[in-house]
Amino acid sequence: MSGSRTGRPPVQRAARRPAAPHPPRENPVRRLHTRARRAWDRPLTAYYLIFGGSLLIIVLGLMMVYSASQITALQMSLPGSYFFRKQLLAAAIGGVLLFAAARMPIKLHRALAYPILAGAVFLMALVQVPGIGVAVNGNQNWIALGGSFQLQPSEFGKLALVLWGADLLARKQDKKLLAQWKHMLVPLVPVAFMLLGLIMLGGDMGTAIILAAILFGLLWLAGAPTRLFAGVLSIAALLGVILIKTSPNRMARLQCIGATEPGPGDSCWQAVHGIYALASGGLFGSGLGASVEKWGQLPEAHTDFIFAVTGEELGLAGTLSVLALFAALGYAGIRVAGRTEDPFVRYAAGGVTTWIAAQAVINMGAVLGLLPIAGVPLPLFSYGRSALLPTMFAIGLMITFAREEPGARAALAMRQPRFGKKRAGGAMLEQGPRRWNTMRRRASAARTSGER
């Protein structure tokens, strides 16, 4: 009998199990992409992008208006903060409009479409009355309201076209009339051309281009056939060519695209010095308030060419930051328009997004020398009270729409303050996933805003 020296039977050792294979490590780039995609797909992404992006643009714009307008104010024997204080007051009034628009129900926005359109048409016609209309830089599109305050009614015409056009197309879609080309064009295109005509009577072609972009955006969202869309676009392009050819001032601006020298008679002075400002900024700029071009070299430094001063003082990093904020705002608007089931929300969100994106592209393109100088401000950023007020109202409108996204209302309702949880019998009641799932089912089963 075999055994150990102690007489005990040998210990039977268990066979070693093979080590379990480690799961393959996930690619860090793919993991980052997955997390970013989940963040973008959250219900409140558009809500935060619209609110946070527009707020950052306004705050940064106020800072740059103060920096870019000091020299101009001092040259006019005014306090250095003169333009900044006026813009700050307009931003405060615009904040009230934004908050009011964000709290309004969608039905009330639709009800305001016709009064806003009628008011805009009346004011735009009033501009042409002698003694009431005021000409600024050769364009008569302002109304003097007493003191130093002037109103530009064409800025409110953009908001009017968005609201009225969205309501009109939504009503026709509900009645299944958009399949007929005459219902798609009439009365949308005639009213839009009436607004364009009132604007062009004052000579403001830049604002007319933005209004035309809003019209084409609405037609595109309504599903206009390619031939119909191309026909309207061809007519607008032909009218634009005629208006440019018959105006020496517009032809001179067109010839300044890509200019690197002021040219004969300094006809390209503004365009060239805008490029000089951007080129001297470098990567991180010369510092806030340290711009050289704003000392009388760059005309309209705090209005149409504030993007050039931003590039000079904050550098490439500053200009790319502004560009990224507008890109985020545009993405949020497209997302809201694409996810909604309410036709009015889709048309209005698309119209506002087209308005802000087209105006930003035209302004930045002119500063970069890629487009002719159109004389339009950078939305929410440049100095201009008449431009800031309707744009901030439109941002409030977009915030209302963002709350109507699937799951957004449920997510907003679930937001609880850290120390505001309910108590029952002295114990804290945690809000578990059951309530979240219930609210998600309620949100998915809810009717669209247009049916309430």
Side-chain angles (χ1 to χ4, degrees):
M1 180 178 178
S2 60
S4 63
R5 293 181 181 179
T6 60
R8 296 177 181 176
V11 178
Q12 298 293 332
R13 295 182 178 179
R16 289 186 177 181
R17 296 181 180 179
H22 294 283
R25 299 184 63 182
E26 189 179 1
N27 189 349
V29 178
R30 182 175 297 178
R31 183 170 59 226
L32 182 62
H33 176 266
T34 303
R35 290 181 178 178
R37 187 172 181 178
R38 289 176 181 174
W40 284 111
D41 287 338
R42 289 177 180 174
L44 292 178
T45 296
Y47 177 83
Y48 288 130
L49 283 179
I50 294 172
F51 181 76
S54 58
L55 182 62
L56 288 174
I57 293 173
I58 293 170
V59 172
L60 183 58
L62 286 171
M63 181 178 67
M64 293 310 305
V65 165
Y66 180 65
S67 175
S69 65
Q70 285 181 323
I71 306 305
T72 304
L74 293 175
Q75 289 175 343
M76 298 171 63
S77 301
L78 296 170
S81 60
Y82 176 76
F83 292 104
F84 168 75
R85 285 180 293 167
K86 294 175 70 175
Q87 185 75 353
L88 182 62
L89 177 60
I93 299 174
V96 175
L97 293 176
L98 187 151
F99 180 79
R103 305 305 300 177
M104 285 182 188
I106 293 180
K107 284 187 176 180
L108 182 55
H109 282 293
R110 299 186 68 168
L112 289 175
Y114 283 85
I116 291 178
L117 177 65
V121 171
F122 174 74
L123 292 176
M124 291 167 68
L126 206 61
V127 169
Q128 306 305 321
V129 177
I132 298 178
V134 178
V136 178
N137 295 331
N139 295 336
Q140 186 167 344
N141 52 2
W142 298 82
I143 295 177
L145 298 180
S148 61
F149 188 80
Q150 295 177 343
L151 182 69
Q152 188 176 4
S154 57
E155 294 292 339
F156 295 88
K158 303 172 187 176
L159 178 63
L161 181 60
V162 168
L163 286 177
W164 176 80
D167 179 70
L168 175 70
L169 293 175
R171 292 178 187 275
K172 292 197 172 188
Q173 180 173 330
D174 292 338
K175 296 179 181 178
K176 303 185 184 305
L177 296 175
L178 290 182
Q180 306 175 31
W181 67 268
K182 59 181 180 179
H183 284 287
M184 184 174 292
L185 295 182
V186 180
L188 177 63
V189 174
V191 171
F193 274 74
M194 177 187 66
L195 295 175
L196 289 171
L198 290 173
I199 293 174
M200 289 308 302
L201 284 176
D204 188 3
M205 189 169 183
T207 304
I209 293 174
I210 298 169
L211 209 69
I214 295 173
L215 171 62
F216 293 134
L218 291 174
L219 290 176
W220 181 270
L221 290 170
T226 305
R227 287 183 294 180
L228 184 64
F229 191 84
V232 178
L233 184 61
S234 301
I235 294 174
L238 179 62
L239 292 175
V241 170
I242 294 174
L243 291 172
I244 291 175
K245 287 286 187 180
T246 55
S247 173
N249 183 32
R250 298 188 186 116
M251 284 297 299
R253 292 185 178 187
L254 192 64
Q255 294 171 358
C256 291
I257 297 178
T260 56
E261 296 292 336
D266 293 335
S267 58
C268 298
W269 179 273
Q270 187 178 21
V272 170
H273 279 270
I275 297 296
Y276 290 169
L278 291 171
S280 60
L283 187 59
F284 296 106
S286 58
L288 189 63
S291 170
V292 175
E293 290 293 332
K294 68 183 181 183
W295 286 77
Q297 299 296 322
L298 180 63
E300 308 295 338
H302 60 296
T303 54
D304 301 345
F305 270 68
I306 194 171
F307 189 69
V309 179
T310 303
E312 185 179 6
E313 295 187 349
L314 303 183
L316 181 64
T319 55
L320 290 181
S321 299
V322 175
L323 188 61
L325 289 173
F326 278 106
L329 205 58
Y331 165 80
I334 294 173
R335 168 174 163 150
V336 169
R339 292 195 174 193
T340 183
E341 297 293 335
D342 189 338
F344 173 77
V345 173
R346 179 168 62 253
Y347 295 134
V352 172
T353 304
T354 304
W355 163 13
I356 295 177
Q359 188 164 331
V361 168
I362 291 173
N363 180 276
M364 294 181 186
V367 174
L368 293 171
L370 303 176
L371 294 173
I373 300 174
V376 296
L378 192 58
L380 303 172
F381 198 85
S382 296
Y383 173 80
R385 294 166 292 177
S386 295
L388 185 62
L389 296 179
T391 309
M392 291 187 70
F393 185 90
I395 293 297
L397 183 70
M398 294 291 291
I399 292 174
T400 300
F401 296 160
R403 288 204 303 265
E404 297 295 328
E405 272 201 32
R409 282 197 174 276
L412 285 171
M414 284 298 300
R415 291 193 310 176
Q416 297 285 349
R418 173 171 291 185
F419 302 103
K421 298 179 180 179
K422 296 181 180 179
R423 296 177 179 267
M428 298 293 291
L429 293 179
E430 296 292 337
Q431 301 296 333
R434 178 174 299 178
R435 182 181 175 186
W436 168 251
N437 293 332
T438 303
M439 297 194 73
R440 286 191 62 183
R441 288 196 296 270
R442 290 178 183 174
S444 62
R447 296 174 297 177
T448 61
S449 59
E451 299 173 352
R452 293 174 186 170

